[in-house]
Amino acid sequence: SRFETCWPALMKDSHGVIIIFNPELPSHLKEIEMWYSCFVQQQPLLDSQCLLVAHHKPGSAGDTENLSLAHPLNKLKLIHSNLEEDPEDVRMEFIKYFRSIITIMNENREREEMSIIS
């Protein structure tokens, strides 16, 4: 990947990672393992700070129910997005995800403040 030199700058101080992929492309299923390894495990971020989005293109007959991902990806929150059929559902999932990230950030900040005080 041409952009690998930029990755450390992208990762610096990040609080969450959203990986969007096309579940109908076998190559994408392999690539998301690499993205997860680089951007989540090596940081390290918690699995709860990562969101997987299987994006189904308009008109694709994607079988959304039976997408089985290998370990460790199968531990991550996975949502299916199909903006033709259910954009509101996707929006709600994103809001839930952002709320959980804010909670983690607040907890980390409180922990840091307590360690400074004590």
Side-chain angles (χ1 to χ4, degrees), residues 30 38 45-46 57 61-62 69 107:
K30 283 261 44 94
C38 292
L45 291 177
L46 301 169
K57 289 208 211 116
L69 297 172
E107 285 169 358

Side-chain angles (χ1 to χ4, degrees), residues 8-41:
L10 285 173
M11 290 192 268
K12 185 174 166 19
D13 299 331
S14 62
H15 296 287
V17 175
I18 298 173
I19 301 173
I20 301 172
F21 65 101
N22 181 343
E24 285 151 51
L25 292 179
S27 63
H28 273 206
L29 297 178
K30 283 261 44 94
E31 278 175 37
I32 57 176
E33 289 182 30
M34 184 264 299
W35 291 112
Y36 171 74
S37 167
C38 292
F39 281 84
V40 181
Q41 288 179 312

Side-chain angles (χ1 to χ4, degrees), residues 67-86:
L67 178 62
S68 58
L69 297 172
H71 184 81
L73 298 173
N74 60 4
K75 306 192 315 258
L76 303 174
K77 172 84 175 146
L78 169 69
I79 64 172
H80 290 271
S81 75
N82 183 326
L83 300 180
E84 273 186 328
E85 285 174 26
D86 213 344

Side-chain angles (χ1 to χ4, degrees), residues 1-117:
S1 162
R2 291 174 301 176
F3 300 112
E4 277 182 50
T5 51
C6 307
W7 289 1
L10 285 173
M11 290 192 268
K12 185 174 166 19
D13 299 331
S14 62
H15 296 287
V17 175
I18 298 173
I19 301 173
I20 301 172
F21 65 101
N22 181 343
E24 285 151 51
L25 292 179
S27 63
H28 273 206
L29 297 178
K30 283 261 44 94
E31 278 175 37
I32 57 176
E33 289 182 30
M34 184 264 299
W35 291 112
Y36 171 74
S37 167
C38 292
F39 281 84
V40 181
Q41 288 179 312
Q42 288 174 30
Q43 288 232 60
L45 291 177
L46 301 169
D47 284 345
S48 56
Q49 287 168 279
C50 181
L51 177 66
L52 291 181
V53 181
H55 184 63
H56 299 269
K57 289 208 211 116
S60 68
D63 179 4
T64 60
E65 299 311 308
N66 293 324
L67 178 62
S68 58
L69 297 172
H71 184 81
L73 298 173
N74 60 4
K75 306 192 315 258
L76 303 174
K77 172 84 175 146
L78 169 69
I79 64 172
H80 290 271
S81 75
N82 183 326
L83 300 180
E84 273 186 328
E85 285 174 26
D86 213 344
E88 187 55 27
D89 208 33
V90 176
R91 199 173 75 88
M92 290 310 297
E93 288 292 351
F94 268 99
I95 289 170
K96 266 197 282 192
Y97 170 69
F98 287 123
R99 280 197 185 128
S100 72
I101 294 294
I102 290 166
T103 302
I104 290 168
M105 287 167 63
N106 288 339
E107 285 169 358
N108 287 346
R109 196 177 60 230
E110 281 169 21
R111 208 173 296 124
E112 280 167 23
E113 287 169 0
M114 289 309 290
S115 69
I116 291 167
I117 292 166

